[in-house]
Each structure stands twice: as C-alpha cells, then as structure tokens.
Amino acid sequence: MAKYIFYLCPMRIDIITAVPELLQSPFEFSIVKRAQEKGFAEIIVHNLRDFALNKYGQIDDYQFGGGAGMVLMIEPIDKCISQLMEQRNYDEIIYVTPDAQVLNQKTANTLSLKENIIILTGHYKGVDQRVRDKFITMEISIGDYVLSGGELAAAVVVDSIVRLIPGVLGDEQSALTDSFQDGLLSPPVYTRPAEYKGIKVPEILLSGNTPKIEEWRQEMAEIRTKAIRPDLI
Ligand code: ADE
C-alpha cells in the first residue's frame, strides 16, 4: 500500500530592524509561539546594525536637501537583504510604513499562504527611497497614524498572518469566525454565568437551537457593523 509522507515546511519570516529588542517578546507567547513550536512558522529577527557601515554602527544619515530626521541608508539594508536572498527565494519583501495601503484581512489571508517573506522596518524618518524602489515588493501600513518605528507594525503584520497559516488554529478557534472574515464585525459573545448581578445572557444563546443561534449571530454582526463600521457594508 502506498504511503504518503507529508513534510511540513514552515513559513519563514525574516524581520530586519534597527531595534531587535522591540521584537523580543511579541512572538514568544500565545498562538504565534505555538505556531513556531509546532513547525508552522519560523520567525527570525535580524539586527540591521550587524550590517553597519563602520565600527560606530552607522546605519543612518541626514537626508539630502535638508530636513529633520535621519534616514536609514541603502548599504546596510542591501547587505542584509542580499545575504538573505542568497539563502532562499522570497515571495514578498515587505516594508512597513505609514505611507502605504492599510493592512486588512484580505491581505493577511493572502500573505498567510506565502512560504518566505522579509519584513523591513523603518525608523526615524524612514528608508532611502532607493531601497523601496530596488528591493521592496509590497508596502503595508497598519493604520493612519505614525508610530516611532516599524517594529510594532511588523509584529501586528506577523500576528495577523501566522494565526491564519492552515493548521495553526484548531477548529475551536477557527479564524473563519473572526471579525472581517465575512466582511462583518463579530457578533457579541458571552460565557458563564448565565446571569451576573441581574445582567442576563441573551435567551437565544441558551436555547440549544443552533440554526436560530446562527441567525441571531448573523443579525447581531450586521447590526454591529452598521453601527460601528458602516464603511464595511
Ligand atoms: N511605521 C510607523 N508608523 C507606521 C504605521 N502606521 N504602519 C506601518 N509602519 C509604521
């Protein structure tokens, strides 16, 4: 009888940062930690200063034409990305920056099916535009506000992707019921006790009538979405 052996090939995510300390804990807990332990994902953080220009650890400089803020230089980034690209082919080289398309569930779904990605994080005033022109295949913002650096944005992008890698979430946590997966916000959820200080859980949820419960959840999701995020409808 034929035997099929499936080898699990983890999704590889390389993150390039000038402040690796900021990315120490986000991947060491909860679902992302488990995804790594189970071999679904491999997340490697690279310190851009290992590719610095000189012994002073220089990775940035003043911008041409004047203006406040330092700009990450092309050379250290080129060295780091080129070294990574010698080892494997990358599906996407992502730069997280506020001046980009905002991350949504559709993008997270698409990225969760990739094999190898690099995420470059900016700091200070950003990166030399030539980095974006030469290496970057995709740019992502996590919202219309400016963070001090791209590290927290990278952590958000990684978390949103890794939990969607097929197999990472069990049935009981299925990502299919997340907010946004069907274009709507999630309905409200309740747990025990069924009554707390006179505040009751909606009767329908205790009825055991699954089709009716599903109907109620759908209705609640629509009401919530209309009230909070009408732009999604
Ligand atoms: N870097 C700084 N702010 C950011 C944002 N809103 N999204 C992605 N990267 C960023």
Side-chain angles (χ1 to χ4, degrees), residues 8-58:
L8 183 63
C9 180
M11 177 181 192
R12 164 102 181 190
I13 305 175
D14 289 282
I15 307 176
I16 304 171
T17 168
V19 195
E21 296 81 3
L22 277 172
L23 288 168
Q24 255 164 18
S25 66
F27 312 129
E28 287 176 9
F29 298 92
S30 186
I31 289 164
V32 179
K33 178 190 180 195
R34 253 181 295 139
Q36 292 175 91
E37 284 172 351
K38 286 192 199 156
F40 288 107
E42 190 181 5
I43 303 165
I44 315 284
V45 177
H46 303 272
N47 188 349
L48 195 54
R49 285 198 199 276
D50 293 344
F51 302 85
L53 253 57
N54 49 40
K55 62 177 181 184
Y56 306 107
Q58 189 182 5

Side-chain angles (χ1 to χ4, degrees), residues 11 13 31-32 35 41 94 103-105 107-114 117 119 138 140 154-166 168:
M11 177 181 192
I13 305 175
I31 289 164
V32 179
I94 299 167
L103 178 68
N104 58 25
Q105 197 61 34
T107 305
N109 284 340
T110 308
L111 289 173
S112 72
L113 301 173
K114 306 285 182 192
I117 62 175
I119 303 180
M138 184 177 196
I140 296 179
V156 167
V157 171
V158 169
D159 192 296
S160 73
I161 297 172
V162 168
R163 61 195 303 285
L164 295 172
I165 297 172
V168 166

